[in-house]
Amino acid sequence: MSTLKAVSSKLAAEIDKELMGPSIGFTLQQLMELAGLSVAEAINREFPLKSAGEKKNVFILAGPGNNGGDGLVCARHLKLFGYNPIVYYPKRTEKVEFYKQLVNQLSFFKVPVLGPENNDNWLEYLKADKTVCIVDALFGFSFKPPLREPFATIIKEVCDLQDKVPVVTVDVPSGWDVDDGPVSEPHIIPKILVSLTVPKPCSQFLQKSSVHYVGGRFIAPEFARKYGFEPFEYQSCDQILKL
Amino acid sequence: MSTLKAVSSKLAAEIDKELMGPSIGFTLQQLMELAGLSVAEAINREFPLKSAGEKKNVFILAGPGNNGGDGLVCARHLKLFGYNPIVYYPKRTEKVEFYKQLVNQLSFFKVPVLGPENNDNWLEYLKADKTVCIVDALFGFSFKPPLREPFATIIKEVCDLQDKVPVVTVDVPSGWDVDDGPVSEPHIIPKILVSLTVPKPCSQFLQKSSVHYVGGRFIAPEFARKYGFEPFEYQSCDQILKL
């Protein structure tokens, strides 16, 4: 069997299931903490804060599922790193108590979290001239089209802005097909992609000028090989690796 | 009120309670993941792996409570960083399901975890000439004397070894009084102390040649000030700061 450079959406779901299954026993809270931290680390690597005067806003779009949860964790770490994160979290999944706790944690850090009540004015909070990057944490590898509102509109607005403010995508560009890449126009063109655990097939549709990281440093080498890919050679205690 | 450089055991307990209370809503799993990661980062900073041939064992002593849990998480990250951790976890708290999951995770990474069945031979696994450091993750800030078995014997054995193999202590040197420092002979003399969130008063009894880090980067500046200490100025995305 040859070495794959990416795993399909189906395999990615199996990996997640096994990581959190009875034999390995990772919890969602652990994996999300490390995943969100790795995205924050990639942002810090690409857009280091040099002086107090420069722009330091990061605008985080958090979706209703685990990809959004990664974004909420990322926002908290960015605040600790000295950035000024602003989160837009338009659709909340009430059944997962932990998502509410992630929002509480952001309040503790005085990170603004916009909600559905801001559906008509959220863009006013995204000041392009002060914003280092937009974090696309709307949908991950389990996304299935079609895009529903308010997300279709949100993505369209991001597409209008992405020439001015770089987009950092968590795992899968929102609106893309996980396996087939961009399937509609306009679509998000990430400047930075942080693939979690292992890239998904759509990563091959990244532009050549884009930067691709893998993050979420929490699997054993044998586990990677079992799923048909070589383990990534992270350095030192980095939580990310540039591919 | 003047700025404290350390908080008492009583205040440390209040800080933990508030961090995991309803208003902030951190979970034990999140805080333990970040705390354990920070200890692994300190070890990587002090004892970087340079070549494949050199020694890379780390012997982790994990106690029955949260300090031990930090040690279990630390072991997993050390394995990911390229070290060869070996854990001795002689007394397990069955009522906390999450500790069992942390042990499962170590199995996934093929990290040996010795248990009570090794009480008579655990030292055979600690090969001084191959071991970078011993991690003392036996007891934290809620420890109250007297030391019971098997821990009294374990600590005595560590004291016999600490001239040959440096000890890295998680938060509070085991056997020390959190507020009053070493209270019995022999006692552990850490070469490295990683204080979590904020140093405890006993840290003033460290030897001058010891290295002191603070780790566990998860509080807001206002929260630090509320408890009477200045926030620590962590750099970039470091999870530790040398004091």
Side-chain angles (χ1 to χ4, degrees), chain B residues 97-172:
Chain B
E97 178 65 25
F98 183 57
Y99 295 154
K100 287 185 218 166
Q101 290 181 266
L102 290 177
V103 171
N104 274 354
Q105 293 161 25
L106 289 171
S107 308
F108 168 58
F109 281 97
K110 305 200 190 309
V111 173
V113 182
L114 311 174
E117 69 280 9
N118 300 100
N119 281 2
D120 294 327
N121 74 342
W122 64 276
L123 262 177
E124 293 170 22
Y125 294 84
L126 201 174
K127 305 198 185 305
D129 58 325
K130 291 187 177 170
T131 302
V132 172
C133 63
I134 296 170
V135 176
D136 157 25
L138 290 172
F139 299 106
F141 66 79
S142 51
F143 170 74
K144 295 264 172 276
L147 270 176
R148 294 176 203 283
E149 288 302 340
F151 299 107
T153 301
I154 293 170
I155 287 174
K156 200 172 159 301
E157 299 285 5
V158 171
C159 291
D160 285 346
L161 275 165
Q162 63 191 353
D163 280 343
K164 271 185 280 186
V165 186
V167 174
V168 177
T169 278
V170 180
D171 207 28
V172 175

Side-chain angles (χ1 to χ4, degrees), chain A residues 39-109:
Chain A
V39 178
E41 196 170 314
I43 290 167
N44 184 71
R45 180 90 61 92
E46 290 294 319
F47 310 103
L49 289 177
K50 280 164 206 144
S51 62
E54 74 185 333
K55 59 187 177 183
K56 56 182 185 177
N57 286 12
V58 176
F59 199 90
I60 294 126
L61 298 161
N66 288 347
N67 202 262
D70 296 336
L72 299 175
V73 171
C74 168
R76 172 163 42 82
H77 286 288
L78 286 172
K79 180 75 176 192
L80 280 162
F81 296 171
Y83 295 83
N84 181 29
I86 298 158
V87 177
Y88 178 34
Y89 188 30
K91 193 159 186 175
R92 303 174 188 200
T93 307
E94 295 296 324
K95 69 181 178 192
V96 184
E97 178 65 25
F98 183 58
Y99 295 154
K100 286 185 219 167
Q101 289 180 266
L102 290 176
V103 171
N104 274 355
Q105 292 162 25
L106 289 171
S107 307
F108 168 57
F109 281 97

Side-chain angles (χ1 to χ4, degrees), chain A residues 116-141:
Chain A
E117 69 281 8
N118 300 100
N119 281 1
D120 294 327
N121 74 342
W122 65 276
L123 263 178
E124 293 170 24
Y125 293 85
L126 201 174
K127 306 198 185 305
D129 59 325
K130 292 187 177 170
T131 302
V132 172
C133 62
I134 295 169
V135 176
D136 158 26
L138 290 172
F139 300 107
F141 66 78

Side-chain angles (χ1 to χ4, degrees), chain A residues 22 24-25 27 29-30 33-34 41 44 76 80-81 101 104-105 108-109 217-220 223 236-237, chain B residues 22 24-27 29-30 33-34 41 44 76 80-81 101 104-105 108-109 217-218 220 223 236-237:
Chain A
I24 304 178
T27 66
Q29 298 176 20
Q30 290 180 289
E33 194 63 35
L34 295 173
E41 196 170 314
N44 184 71
R76 172 163 42 82
L80 280 162
F81 296 171
Q101 289 180 266
N104 274 355
Q105 292 162 25
F108 168 57
F109 281 97
R217 188 178 181 182
F218 41 58
I219 64 166
F223 184 84
S236 180
C237 50
Chain B
I24 304 177
F26 272 117
T27 66
Q29 298 176 20
Q30 290 180 289
E33 194 63 34
L34 295 173
E41 197 170 315
N44 184 69
R76 171 162 43 81
L80 281 162
F81 296 171
Q101 290 181 266
N104 274 354
Q105 293 161 25
F108 168 58
F109 281 97
R217 189 180 180 180
F218 40 58
F223 184 83
S236 180
C237 49

